[in-house]
Amino acid sequence: MERVKLIHKLNNAGLTLKVIRKILPCWQNQKKKFSPCEEFKMGLSDTLLKIDEQIQLLQQSRNHLLTLLEEN
């Protein structure tokens, strides 16, 4: 059950199931301890980059909409 909760939390944080599958070995279920491995760090870095790109696109869209509102 702990593993399912962990998968759910990681997915809600923006990680894809493909990335989660790669990083699950970092979770030592017996000790309920997380020790980050390289796969986790790489997966998390990739996810953060994608989130930053999405934020940038959203900010650009917001600015375009504000410009339209200000013009009228």
Side-chain angles (χ1 to χ4, degrees):
M1 192 64 159
E2 289 293 321
R3 194 172 183 95
V4 173
K5 288 180 184 178
L6 174 65
I7 292 169
H8 194 69
K9 284 181 184 180
L10 292 171
N11 190 242
N12 285 341
L15 278 79
T16 64
L17 294 177
K18 184 177 179 180
V19 171
I20 293 170
R21 190 178 322 118
K22 289 181 183 177
I23 65 170
L24 275 179
C26 296
W27 181 260
Q28 299 172 359
N29 205 18
Q30 308 87 334
K31 299 176 185 177
K32 294 187 179 183
K33 177 184 168 191
F34 181 74
S35 60
C37 56
E38 284 305 310
E39 289 84 4
F40 172 80
K41 292 176 186 176
M42 288 172 47
L44 189 57
S45 292
D46 289 345
T47 300
L48 286 172
L49 286 173
K50 289 176 186 174
I51 289 171
D52 287 340
E53 290 171 2
Q54 291 173 339
I55 290 171
Q56 185 178 10
L57 289 173
L58 286 170
Q59 287 175 330
Q60 289 172 356
S61 296
R62 184 181 187 282
N63 290 337
H64 289 304
L65 291 173
L66 281 174
T67 300
L68 287 173
L69 283 173
E70 289 171 356
E71 289 176 354
N72 293 313

